[in-house]
Amino acid sequence: MSGQKVAPFQFGAEDVEIESRETLFKGFFGMERLRLRHARFAGGYTEAFDREIFQRGDATCVLPYDPVRDEVVLLEQFRPGALGRNQSPWLLELVAGMDEPGETPEDVANREAEEEAGLTFKRLEKICHYLVSPGGTTEMVSLFCGQVDASGAGGLYGIEAEHEDIRAHVMAADEALRMISDGRINNAAAIIALQWLAMQRQRLKQEWS
């Protein structure tokens, strides 16, 4: 079978058989155990097997960019998932928030920009939607770049009742890109958005200025 050229995406959700679904935990997030089997590339179906799935909900992330000043706004905050590694658990990230029922990703983007950075987007451009870690969680991220005036940006933000403690940093786009290269920025949403900006920067300067 090696060397045979076959187009991708020959299977769909209808090629998965879920035998059982068990709720293991239900809180702000959830955990389920699925027993399933699915179609095989070589034909037939796999044997039934178990997988635990983290039900996290979807999120929206936005890279604030000022095309006139060629600056971005990044948020620094503590993340417990980064503990135990050879780095600071305070990360530089994008404006971000969980999607609430009835909200569009654009609604989330604008709400979180005000809450987390005191920003207002003049316009939003979709970068992509991506699955964060589909081997174990359902989360989908809607990723945008948003036009801002960064001249007065920066400072301390966050909702204390939600245990948010955020510092907004304004920096040159080139500096943010260097932070990817040297590993100071190592979270997926920020990396994807900044690499997209590197490709689209000249166009945005022309169209957004």
Side-chain angles (χ1 to χ4, degrees), residues 17-188:
E17 296 180 358
I18 299 177
E19 295 187 358
S20 64
R21 185 187 298 267
E22 178 186 2
T23 299
L24 302 178
F25 173 80
K26 185 65 175 178
F28 185 73
F29 300 126
M31 181 74 74
E32 288 187 335
R33 178 183 290 123
L34 305 182
R35 185 159 186 81
L36 57 84
R37 64 193 200 110
H38 62 75
R40 295 173 56 90
F41 292 120
Y45 273 73
T46 65
E47 295 183 354
F49 59 93
D50 294 336
R51 285 291 182 268
E52 287 77 35
I53 303 295
F54 181 30
Q55 300 283 349
R56 194 183 186 284
D58 295 340
T60 296
C61 301
V62 192
L63 172 65
Y65 176 60
D66 184 331
V68 177
R69 301 168 65 89
D70 197 27
E71 293 176 334
V72 298
V73 181
L74 296 176
L75 309 184
E76 183 179 12
Q77 58 187 315
F78 171 74
R79 293 302 193 192
L83 286 169
R85 300 187 181 276
N86 187 28
Q87 67 172 80
S88 170
W90 274 260
L91 306 183
L92 280 177
E93 303 178 326
L94 307 183
V95 167
M98 300 297 296
D99 297 359
E100 299 294 340
E103 284 187 311
T104 67
E106 290 81 2
D107 292 335
V108 180
N110 288 304
R111 167 170 55 80
E112 294 295 332
E114 174 62 33
E115 291 179 2
E116 295 190 336
L119 295 173
T120 299
F121 293 124
K122 298 180 180 179
R123 70 183 88 185
L124 289 168
E125 181 165 328
K126 184 181 78 173
I127 297 175
C128 66
H129 301 287
Y130 72 92
L131 290 162
V132 173
S133 184
T137 180
T138 59
E139 183 182 10
M140 175 84 80
V141 166
S142 297
L143 192 58
F144 294 88
C145 185
Q147 182 184 1
V148 296
D149 176 0
S151 60
L156 302 180
Y157 296 92
I159 299 175
E160 189 171 347
E162 297 179 7
H163 307 288
E164 291 181 336
D165 181 44
I166 298 169
R167 183 182 293 278
H169 295 272
V170 181
M171 65 184 67
D174 282 335
E175 175 62 15
L177 290 167
R178 282 193 291 271
M179 288 183 173
I180 294 176
S181 298
D182 64 25
R184 285 178 288 169
I185 292 177
N186 65 349
N187 60 91

